[in-house]
Amino acid sequence: SGGFFINYLIQATFMGSGFQLIHLSERLWWCCRKVAALCTKDSTAVTVNLWPFYWGYYYAYILAVFSITLVFSAAVPLISIAGLVYFGIKYLTDKYDIMVLSPPEFDTHGNFSKRVAHYPLFSLIMFD
């Protein structure tokens, strides 16, 4: 089970982050909208903001990977290294997506971090 999760982390690191940077489905949808706008002479159909950053999905996914990495790190220490590489590349990928591709839609005034800070602590307590 430890080897499976190491393979999963490596694939999620390189393939998942790579596909997240490519945004294949969003780019295909944008190209279809662009062709439709050219056919109808409607310039408002193609907007500058191509796709949003899905906070809920990515936060839940990262939290699940963090929990499993933390739990398996006692039995298989190599998972810690794979988790470090995963979180490093995921940080850079998400930073690019948030800062460049999707402008901020709303401001939480710091409430988001206060609400979700206890979830990683729960994973740490479960590790004990």
Side-chain angles (χ1 to χ4, degrees):
S1 64
F4 169 75
F5 192 66
I6 289 174
N7 286 335
Y8 176 75
L9 268 180
I10 291 170
Q11 288 178 3
T13 300
F14 297 109
M15 290 175 51
S17 296
F19 283 126
Q20 184 181 347
L21 284 174
I22 292 171
H23 289 285
L24 189 61
S25 62
E26 288 91 353
R27 286 194 194 275
L28 289 174
W29 176 247
W30 183 74
C31 288
C32 291
R33 288 178 53 196
K34 189 173 180 179
V35 168
L38 290 174
C39 292
T40 61
K41 305 286 190 242
D42 184 19
S43 62
T44 60
V46 181
T47 60
V48 177
N49 187 11
L50 299 178
W51 46 82
F53 184 79
Y54 302 108
W55 281 101
Y57 173 76
Y58 289 124
Y59 190 77
Y61 186 76
I62 287 173
L63 191 61
V65 170
F66 174 74
S67 300
I68 294 172
T69 302
L70 192 64
V71 168
F72 275 114
S73 66
V76 185
L78 198 59
I79 287 180
S80 301
I81 297 169
L84 177 70
V85 172
Y86 170 77
F87 285 113
I89 291 177
K90 187 68 173 167
Y91 169 76
L92 294 173
T93 304
D94 288 348
K95 182 179 176 183
Y96 174 76
D97 276 351
I98 292 170
M99 300 298 287
V100 175
L101 296 180
S102 58
E105 297 174 2
F106 59 90
D107 188 17
T108 62
H109 304 292
N111 292 332
F112 181 74
S113 61
K114 290 176 186 175
R115 285 185 167 181
V116 298
H118 63 277
Y119 292 123
L121 293 176
F122 178 73
S123 298
L124 189 60
I125 291 170
M126 291 299 289
F127 175 68
D128 289 336

